[in-house]
Amino acid sequence: MRVLGIETSCDETSVALLRVSKGVASIEKHLTASQILKHAAYGGVVPEVAARLHAETLPLLIDELGISAKEIDGVAVTRGPGLITSLRVGTDFARALAYGWDRPLVGVNHIEGHIAANWIGKKVASAYRFPALVLVVSGGHTEIILMKGFGKYERIGSTLDDAAGEAFDKVAKMLDLGYPGGPAVSKRALLGKPDAFAFPRPLLNKPNFDFSFSGLKTAVLYTLQRKKEWSAQEVSDICASFQAAVVETLVAKTIRAANVKKAKTIFLAGGVAANTLLRETLTTAVKNALPKTIAVIPDLLYCTDNAAMIAMAGYFRLSKKKQDTWKGMEPDPNWELGI
Ligand code: KG4
Ligand code: ZN
């Protein structure tokens, strides 16, 4: 089975061709056009600019993929959550393709796509044991999800304010490190001392599985207001200390939730999954605290927004005969997982 994936929910225009053969999923083609440089000038994503660039680029990427209707068994597209104007471009394009090519169409939840990234390259039917716990960490979401199988989700914790990626982006802005903030802050953190500043670990000792990152962000702001000039070393120290606070909180809550819910597998999902400290700390913590549980982390290629993960989630939906009609499918910018 071959699935064409299309992702345009934010600022990456991406297309991919997924093949599931002998039960193993592999990506045959994958093209992503990043808009980051265009948005960097504004310090964040400008929705109108994003949509216009998706509309210009998406037909070219599909053309470059060089596939015909005969080669695919379905078209999967991100239907939400995301920026409505960006989603509109991708879903309308996918609807037109499905109609013109007379192929099944499936709208995919972007977060489910991030989770599905963990199946790429694996034997799809039997790769993991459930119940599983997912730590979703992206620019818009920070959630802990109990997963009883693919498509079966219960959210057991989420952020009360900023998402983890959003906190990275805001701290980068305060420090003038550019956009997107996650990669910039983590790069500077390599040069800094994680214990140089005692930033708070919000809600760490609360028994629930919720997060809050806005207080941590404000703590960084108050620190910066203490004086006008900060040396390069001090900026690196702030980055390292901030990153350590975020990662420690994310990992501690995830381990606690996995323990309570007796999770057999822990998945990491979303753009912040690209963070090296998070990847290493989670892996080590699971080994030490929950030796019978395995930690699964997506390949770096599939952490930030991409169409391969959308094709993967689309494959699962299409296999379960869950499809949409080109006439009726509408983007949903607030689509919650599992609904
Ligand atoms: O999943 P994603 O690509 O887009 C959304 O669905 O939001 O996640 C983007 C977020 C941004 O906030 C970005 O700063 C963050 O992921 N991010 C990182 C890293 N790479 C991307 N955060 C921390 N460390 C990274 N290496
Ligand atoms: Zn995303």
Side-chain angles (χ1 to χ4, degrees):
M1 187 172 182
R2 275 198 177 89
V3 180
L4 168 66
I6 298 176
E7 154 67 31
T8 67
S9 68
C10 190
D11 60 347
E12 313 281 357
T13 319
S14 184
V15 297
L17 185 62
L18 169 96
R19 183 176 186 208
V20 180
S21 172
K22 297 193 178 121
V24 178
S26 59
I27 299 300
E28 294 196 323
K29 296 178 183 181
H30 190 195
L31 299 170
T32 301
S34 177
Q35 307 176 354
I36 281 175
L37 289 177
K38 294 268 168 47
H39 297 292
Y42 305 99
V45 179
V46 184
E48 155 69 18
V49 173
R52 222 172 333 125
L53 291 170
H54 286 310
E56 278 172 31
T57 314
L58 185 53
L60 302 177
L61 290 187
I62 295 283
D63 185 50
E64 207 179 322
L65 267 192
I67 52 167
S68 63
K70 289 194 298 292
E71 287 171 77
I72 60 160
D73 301 286
V75 177
V77 62
T78 308
R79 192 170 78 73
L83 301 171
I84 181 62
T85 43
S86 289
L87 292 167
R88 183 92 247 170
V89 174
T91 50
D92 280 353
F93 196 88
R95 291 164 74 197
L97 267 187
Y99 172 71
W101 283 355
D102 194 20
R103 300 278 92 183
L105 173 68
V106 62
V108 168
N109 182 292
H110 180 81
I111 301 301
E112 183 166 72
H114 275 301
I115 298 171
N118 286 295
W119 270 260
I120 296 172
K122 302 282 160 37
K123 220 169 167 61
V124 288
S126 57
Y128 305 115
R129 295 189 308 145
F130 293 93
L133 205 83
V134 193
L135 173 64
V136 177
V137 270
S138 71
H141 291 78
T142 297
E143 299 177 346
I144 294 184
I145 292 169
L146 178 63
M147 189 175 175
K148 297 209 170 126
F150 202 89
K152 295 179 193 153
Y153 311 106
E154 184 193 339
R155 189 171 63 196
I156 60 170
S158 61
T159 181
L160 306 178
D161 38 61
D162 293 352
E166 191 180 355
F168 269 97
D169 293 337
K170 287 178 177 168
V171 165
K173 209 168 190 172
M174 288 176 210
L175 294 169
D176 240 347
L177 295 179
Y179 174 85
V185 169
S186 58
K187 200 167 155 203
R188 281 303 285 268
L190 289 173
L191 309 170
K193 291 185 286 298
D195 55 358
F197 293 86
F199 292 136
R201 271 69 173 152
L203 305 185
L204 189 62
N205 298 319
K206 288 267 180 319
N208 60 25
F209 307 128
D210 290 331
F211 301 98
S212 163
F213 292 109
S214 105
L216 172 57
K217 175 193 68 188
T218 311
V220 175
L221 180 68
Y222 287 163
T223 300
L224 287 174
Q225 285 170 345
R226 274 197 237 141
K227 58 179 186 167
K228 274 220 165 78
E229 295 291 324
W230 292 86
S231 70
Q233 184 57 50
E234 284 170 329
V235 169
S236 302
D237 288 345
I238 290 173
C239 288
S241 304
F242 163 77
Q243 179 179 250
V246 174
V247 168
E248 188 186 324
T249 313
L250 290 173
V251 171
K253 290 251 164 173
T254 305
I255 296 285
R256 195 184 299 155
N259 212 352
V260 171
K261 299 293 178 184
K262 303 194 178 4
K264 294 182 173 143
T265 309
I266 296 176
F267 293 110
L268 195 55
V272 185
N275 184 277
T276 308
L277 184 70
L278 177 59
R279 296 168 80 89
E280 291 174 357
T281 310
L282 183 68
T283 308
T284 310
V286 172
K287 258 193 204 132
N288 292 341
L290 306 165
K292 288 188 187 145
T293 305
I294 60 155
V296 181
I297 297 176
D299 191 302
L300 263 183
L301 266 180
Y302 307 123
C303 286
T304 46
D305 292 350
N306 67 87
M309 68 185 201
I310 301 303
M312 189 71 245
Y315 165 83
F316 281 114
R317 288 202 154 229
L318 287 167
S319 314
K320 289 184 191 153
K321 305 273 179 273
K322 285 186 182 163
Q323 65 185 75
D324 294 280
T325 61
W326 72 265
K327 252 187 193 170
M329 192 178 75
E330 282 294 312
D332 180 355
N334 304 312
W335 186 10
E336 281 193 29
L337 198 62
I339 297 172

